[in-house]
Amino acid sequence: MHQKSPNVLIMARDTLVGSVIEHRVRLMGWEAICFTSNDELDLLLAAGLPQLFVVDLDDSGAMGLNLVERLTTDERTSRIPILCMSADGDLNLAELAFRTGAKDFLLVPFDILLLQQKIEKWLRQGTATLKSDQAKQDTSELVVATA
């Protein structure tokens, strides 16, 4: 069973796009929550960190890229992968998303199975990172306790 806090936080101004992704993530057995503002994100992050962010660059314009930059420069969220998506076929936008810190990019409309593969890839990697970080923390606590 997966942890109770959302594994995937989805920023999508288009509620239909966000709902489709959220539904698919839940069908995969993970928790997902959509948000549309920085205030909502702050509340969600206060409750716990996800293993993946999905950021829709459409309809959010600079907010989407600003969010990617914020997430990659914040110490708490900098190691969490970001999957960006856009219906704009502009390669410059994709390049800018990667330079800003996105780990993956998906062109909308997308094949739902491709979306699922990308999400599973990043969630598996996130789970491995969390376990590695926990093991390092446990080891350092053990060293301090025996010293």
Side-chain angles (χ1 to χ4, degrees), residues 58-72:
D58 296 336
D59 298 329
S60 59
M63 181 189 164
L65 288 172
N66 289 338
L67 175 60
V68 172
E69 185 173 14
R70 172 189 168 190
L71 294 171
T72 56

Side-chain angles (χ1 to χ4, degrees), residues 62-134:
M63 181 189 164
L65 288 172
N66 289 338
L67 175 60
V68 172
E69 185 173 14
R70 172 189 168 190
L71 294 171
T72 56
T73 57
D74 184 321
E75 186 177 315
R76 296 176 307 147
T77 57
S78 63
R79 296 187 64 196
I80 300 169
I82 302 168
L83 167 62
C84 286
M85 60 184 176
S86 174
D88 186 351
D90 183 5
L91 292 178
N92 291 328
L93 179 61
E95 182 182 345
L96 189 54
F98 281 116
R99 282 189 301 171
T100 306
K103 298 294 183 199
D104 213 336
F105 193 88
L106 189 60
L107 196 57
V108 178
F110 48 78
D111 178 337
I112 200 72
L113 295 177
L114 179 59
L115 170 70
Q116 183 171 326
Q117 288 171 353
K118 288 179 178 282
I119 289 173
E120 285 175 342
K121 168 188 166 184
W122 292 112
L123 288 175
R124 276 194 308 269
Q125 180 176 320
T127 300
T129 300
L130 286 173
K131 287 179 182 177
S132 173
D133 289 349
Q134 184 61 46

